[in-house]
Amino acid sequence: MPDMSRPVPSQPERLHRNAEHMHHTLTALGVDGQVRELADSARTALDAAQALGVEVGAIASSLVFLHSGAPLLVVTSGAHRVEPALVEDLLGGRLERADADAVRAATGQPIGGVGPVGHPTPLRTLVDVALGAFDVVWAAAGTPHAVFPTSYPELLRITGGTPAVVGR
């Protein structure tokens, strides 16, 4: 379990502007978990897990793909990679990784800091069923240094996502 005794910023103006936006988005969605800025980068699932002292599988990585040309958000467990063939079998069409410009255009956030919500427009979203194995999962909050705690059911609710097997 992560050390929840560390102070959490209570004033959004103390956060990076992307993390502040995420704070407001999460509050509007009724999420209790607070955005927390980390001293070290959480750009990768392994980095985030080490910074938080949790299993890498408890990290909810938000990855943007292009599915038949349209942005698709896949929120996956940090314990594995997205297997495009699984997603293509589920949705049909072709899946390819979005480049940094496409990620920023779709989410308003940089690669390594993409959160599951807070995008300019809602994105079609798949949420990895493997995240359901953890009581608390941690997701990025708009920057490579900001995260927030949530749960699998809450991720499904706030993203409007579809549960899916996206990796092995």
Side-chain angles (χ1 to χ4, degrees):
M1 198 66 189
D3 177 10
M4 299 301 283
S5 65
R6 286 182 57 187
V8 174
S10 59
Q11 299 297 320
E13 56 270 11
R14 293 179 60 198
L15 300 170
H16 180 279
R17 70 180 182 280
N18 285 3
E20 180 180 336
H21 172 72
M22 185 66 72
H23 165 82
H24 291 297
T25 299
L26 294 169
T27 299
L29 291 168
V31 174
D32 290 332
Q34 294 290 311
V35 172
R36 180 167 148 186
E37 287 192 318
L38 303 173
D40 296 321
S41 172
R43 185 173 298 278
T44 69
L46 183 58
D47 291 343
Q50 289 174 339
L52 293 163
V54 300
E55 291 181 51
V56 72
I59 302 301
S61 297
S62 296
L63 307 173
V64 179
F65 292 86
L66 297 176
H67 175 251
S68 301
L72 172 72
L73 184 68
V74 179
V75 182
T76 187
S77 168
H80 58 254
R81 295 187 179 274
V82 172
E83 293 183 33
L86 289 173
V87 176
E88 289 169 345
D89 287 348
L90 177 66
L91 302 178
R94 177 155 169 70
L95 191 72
E96 56 189 294
R97 193 72 181 253
D99 66 20
D101 291 336
V103 170
R104 177 81 70 170
T107 67
Q109 302 163 356
I111 290 176
V114 174
V117 294
H119 314 129
T121 58
L123 297 176
R124 183 176 187 188
T125 303
L126 300 179
V127 181
D128 190 351
V129 297
L131 292 167
F134 300 93
D135 292 333
V136 176
V137 295
W138 291 85
T143 80
H145 289 271
V147 295
F148 72 96
T150 187
S151 66
Y152 179 70
E154 187 169 70
L155 269 177
L156 290 171
R157 180 182 67 78
I158 66 176
T159 64
T162 302
V165 174
V166 300
R168 293 185 179 98

